[in-house]
């Protein structure tokens, strides 16, 4: 457009040097209009080329984000399958899913940087402005959804930990009950009670209390995070 603008300036000088309305003036004026049309066409073409290049870059980033979504869905299916088959779901399963979700958010943040920068170069309210704004809003909604899912996964991890504590408590309680039954049996048989059984019960009781204390701390820690 630089050359065309220079050509237009020269034509304006020539036109203004002639009598307005004369054949020469009309000819120069017609040429100026023709140059204006060429400038407009070039400007439109440059804008379209820029938009195509920018959109292709965003599409490439979206492809990476979609790949992460596939990984999240795959891990969800893996967890669901384990639950269906009665297999143990671990905190690692949820940590893996959260890692994919956080990577998605990082990619969305990087994409938004480009989108907001591009948004400043277009006319507010134009179709292009609306397209970019819609994309930014879509990314915001995706991040919010991911954050909600991360929070739910963390709750599931907490439930798993509590279940582990409960399993340990049950194991120690069963040990106490088992040893108490053995003592009761010896008493019923008129046998002298063996200190070994009391020792086992005391040990199991102490371990049970330790687990209960750990469970309490874990629950308090979660409540503290939830209140912030």
């Amino acid at each position: 457009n630089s050359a065309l603008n220079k050509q237009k300036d020269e034509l304006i000088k020539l036109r203004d040097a002639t009598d307005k309305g004369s054949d020469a003036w009309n000819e120069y004026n017609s040429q100026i209009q023709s140059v204006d049309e060429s400038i407009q066409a070039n400007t439109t073409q440059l804008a379209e080329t820029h938009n195509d290049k920018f959109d292709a870059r965003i599409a490439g980033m979206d492809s990476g984000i979609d790949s992460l979504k596939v990984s999240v869905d795959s891990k969800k299916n893996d967890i669901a399958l384990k639950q269906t088959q009665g297999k143990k779901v671990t905190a690692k399963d949820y940590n893996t899913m959260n890692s994919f979700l956080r990577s998605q958010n990082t990619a969305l943040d990087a994409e938004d940087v480009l989108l907001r920068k591009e948004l400043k170069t277009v006319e507010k309210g134009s179709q292009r402005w609306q397209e970019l704004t819609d994309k930014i809003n879509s990314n915001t909604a995706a991040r919010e959804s991911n954050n909600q899912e991360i929070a739910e996964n963390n709750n599931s991890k907490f439930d798993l930990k509590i279940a582990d504590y409960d399993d340990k408590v049950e194991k120690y309680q069963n040990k106490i009950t088992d040893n108490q039954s053995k003592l009761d049996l010896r008493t019923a048989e008129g046998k002298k009670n063996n200190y070994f059984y009391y020792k086992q019960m005391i040990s199991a009781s102490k371990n049970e209390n330790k687990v209960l204390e750990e469970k309490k701390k874990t629950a308090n820690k979660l409540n503290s995070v939830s209140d912030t």
Side-chain angles (χ1 to χ4, degrees), residues 72-125:
V72 170
D73 290 340
S74 177
K75 178 50 68 174
K76 282 183 183 177
N77 293 335
D78 181 44
I79 291 174
L81 182 61
K82 283 185 176 182
Q83 292 171 333
T84 300
Q85 296 177 340
K87 294 182 179 179
K88 185 177 179 62
V89 177
T90 66
K92 184 178 179 181
D93 291 316
Y94 291 108
N95 286 337
T96 298
M97 196 193 308
N98 281 352
S99 177
F100 291 136
L101 289 166
R102 291 191 180 96
S103 293
Q104 275 189 51
N105 284 348
T106 298
L108 288 166
D109 287 341
E111 191 172 272
D112 273 2
V113 170
L114 297 179
L115 290 167
R116 293 184 186 283
K117 184 178 180 181
E118 183 71 7
L119 191 64
K120 294 178 181 179
T121 68
V122 300
E123 181 182 355
K124 186 175 183 179

Side-chain angles (χ1 to χ4, degrees), residues 52-70:
D52 289 343
K53 184 177 180 180
F54 180 83
D55 290 346
R57 185 176 183 184
I58 294 299
M61 298 178 77
D62 282 341
S63 179
I65 293 170
D66 288 341
S67 294
L68 289 167
K69 289 180 181 178
V70 171

Side-chain angles (χ1 to χ4, degrees), residues 40-55:
Q40 183 59 44
N42 285 350
T43 300
T44 300
Q45 182 61 49
L46 286 171
E48 291 176 353
T49 300
H50 170 79
N51 290 347
D52 289 343
K53 184 177 180 180
F54 180 83
D55 290 346

